[in-house]
């Protein structure tokens, strides 16, 4: 694939931005990738591993001359970042983000976008429990979805170009409405993460089960919970505060389902349990058939990551 952007600015240098840099440079999608982060230690680490072509001190410096700017910070500070970089954005540039909440992010970023700059929000549905500049790898987005948010005001050319970038990094893309995105993610990501944090918290609070037993005897289900609950606390704090309504709606429905299962267990209603598990297993099989899961560790990317050294 040919070069799509002359200069890409990455603001925030964690897992997603780092993986974008690796993927863009591997595929030759950008002539130059410039990165920055709020923390001097993060910038130093990124500079040491050669994460980007250039690492600069400030967001304002990073976006100068960039035809694509990616805000890859926690969602709670994206509005402030947009306000900071707005005077320095080049006319005709595309501004995007990678946050897992869209309506609140759009409401906070959009007022700062200057005329002539095209704002196309995005969300790659990819990740691991790791964070920081060293966590990124080029294969992260392969066979995963990136949702791009558009409405009647979205510039069609900017949307198409950004979609081709994500496809060049290995992702599949789909355009979605912001509010629908937040509801879908509340079901598929946000509420499951909250439940995972809760389950690990229950184990921690249960005095009759020691920490050593939790670690020693963890079966697959609890291992999956602990993997999810190892995700970045700042990011998930911001997600729940900014996608509050959708998460509470799905959490309420989850609670109702849980009460129904609790009643079936208490009353010995095996038919209800069997029917419920059969129906939900079909959804799980659909996820596997769609290529969105595999038995291989780290979604099968661990071996590729070692081979490429990314």
């Amino acid at each position: 694939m040919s070069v799509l952007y002359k200069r890409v600015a990455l603001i925030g240098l964690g897992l997603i931005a780092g993986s974008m840099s690796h993927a863009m440079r591997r595929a030759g999608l950008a002539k130059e990738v410039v990165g920055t982060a709020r923390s001097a230690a993060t910038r130093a680490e990124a500079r040491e591993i050669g994460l980007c072509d250039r690492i600069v001190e400030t967001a304002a410096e990073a976006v100068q001359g960039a035809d694509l700017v990616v805000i890859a910070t926690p969602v709670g500070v994206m509005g402030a970042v947009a306000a900071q970089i707005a005077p320095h954005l080049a006319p005709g540039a595309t501004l995007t983000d990678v946050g897992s909440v869209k309506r609140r992010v759009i409401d906070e970023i959009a007022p700062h976008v200057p005329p002539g700059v095209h704002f196309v929000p995005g969300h790659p549905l990819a990740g691991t429990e790791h964070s920081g500049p060293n966590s990124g790898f080029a294969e992260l987005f392969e066979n995963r979805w990136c949702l791009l948010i558009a409405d009647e005001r979205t510039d069609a050319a900017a949307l198409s170009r950004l979609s081709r970038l994500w496809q060049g990094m290995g992702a599949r893309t789909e355009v979605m409405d912001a509010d629908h995105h937040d509801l879908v993610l509340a079901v598929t990501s946000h509420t499951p993460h909250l439940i995972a944090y809760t389950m690990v918290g229950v184990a921690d609070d249960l005095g009759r089960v020691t920490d050593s037993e939790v670690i020693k005897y963890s079966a697959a289900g609890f291992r999956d919970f602990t993997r999810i609950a190892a995700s970045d606390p700042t990011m998930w704090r911001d997600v729940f505060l900014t996608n509050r309504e959708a998460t509470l709606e799905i959490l309420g429905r989850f609670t109702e389902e849980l009460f129904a299962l609790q009643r079936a267990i208490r009353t010995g209603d095996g038919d209800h349990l069997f029917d419920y598990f059969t129906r939900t297993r079909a959804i799980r099989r659909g996820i596997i058939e769609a290529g969105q899961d595999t038995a291989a560790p780290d979604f099968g990317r661990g071996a590729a990551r070692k081979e490429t050294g990314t």
Side-chain angles (χ1 to χ4, degrees):
M1 182 172 278
S2 60
V3 171
L4 290 172
Y5 295 97
K6 290 186 294 183
R7 179 176 296 163
V8 176
L10 301 173
I11 304 175
L13 295 173
L15 170 67
I16 298 298
S19 296
M20 289 183 71
S21 183
H22 288 303
M24 285 187 290
R25 295 169 82 189
R26 179 184 67 172
L29 299 170
K31 285 187 176 180
E32 183 183 31
V33 179
V34 181
T36 192
R38 180 185 58 82
S39 165
T42 300
R43 295 194 300 271
E45 184 179 349
R47 197 175 283 118
E48 182 179 350
I49 64 174
L51 184 63
C52 301
D53 297 307
R54 285 192 295 129
I55 301 294
V56 298
E57 301 302 304
T58 67
E61 184 180 356
V63 305
Q64 289 178 5
D67 46 356
L68 177 65
V69 175
V70 183
I71 302 179
T73 64
V75 294
V77 298
M78 285 185 174
V81 170
Q84 179 185 357
I85 64 175
H88 309 281
L89 294 172
T94 295
L95 174 65
T96 189
D97 74 287
V98 294
S100 65
V101 176
K102 294 273 75 85
R103 173 53 61 198
R104 178 77 173 270
V105 165
I106 290 170
D107 289 346
E108 294 191 353
I109 291 180
H112 302 293
V113 179
V117 172
H118 309 299
F119 180 33
V120 184
H123 178 205
L125 306 186
T128 72
E129 67 272 30
H130 304 295
S131 59
N134 269 301
S135 63
F137 54 103
E139 300 79 15
L140 179 65
F141 309 114
E142 292 180 1
N143 198 36
R144 307 314 297 266
W145 286 99
C146 180
L147 304 179
L148 299 175
I149 308 304
D151 57 24
E152 65 280 357
R153 298 165 295 180
T154 303
D155 183 84
L159 175 63
S160 174
R161 190 179 179 192
L162 185 60
S163 181
R164 282 183 282 130
L165 176 77
W166 280 107
Q167 291 165 9
M169 291 189 290
R172 292 185 277 176
T173 59
E174 186 163 315
V175 177
M176 188 174 286
D177 167 79
D179 294 321
H180 187 66
H181 166 278
D182 288 354
L183 182 62
V184 169
L185 268 293
V187 173
T188 61
S189 177
H190 302 167
T191 304
H193 273 82
L194 189 63
I195 294 166
Y197 278 112
T198 304
M199 190 62 231
V200 176
V202 168
D204 183 55
D205 291 339
L206 193 61
R208 289 171 292 164
V209 179
T210 67
D211 289 346
S212 62
E213 287 176 316
V214 169
I215 295 169
K216 184 176 180 180
Y217 302 125
S218 287
F222 195 80
R223 285 200 302 271
D224 287 345
F225 272 134
T226 55
R227 181 188 64 80
I228 295 174
S231 301
D232 181 60
T234 300
M235 179 184 76
W236 284 104
R237 177 202 63 194
D238 290 353
V239 164
F240 292 124
L241 292 178
T242 54
N243 197 26
R244 185 178 313 171
E245 291 78 11
T247 302
L248 287 174
E249 178 182 345
I250 301 306
L251 193 60
R253 295 193 179 203
F254 170 80
T255 303
E256 293 172 2
E257 297 277 316
L258 189 61
F259 281 150
L261 290 174
Q262 184 179 6
R263 187 182 307 109
I265 294 170
R266 183 183 297 113
T267 60
D269 189 348
D271 290 340
H272 177 87
L273 294 172
F274 181 83
D275 291 344
Y276 190 90
F277 297 153
T278 299
R279 177 165 56 87
T280 54
R281 184 175 66 168
I283 297 175
R284 168 63 183 171
R285 286 178 171 173
I287 293 171
I288 296 172
E289 290 169 2
Q292 292 302 295
D293 199 4
T294 174
D298 196 22
F299 198 75
R301 295 177 294 237
R305 185 177 181 183
K306 292 177 183 176
E307 290 168 5
T308 60
T310 55

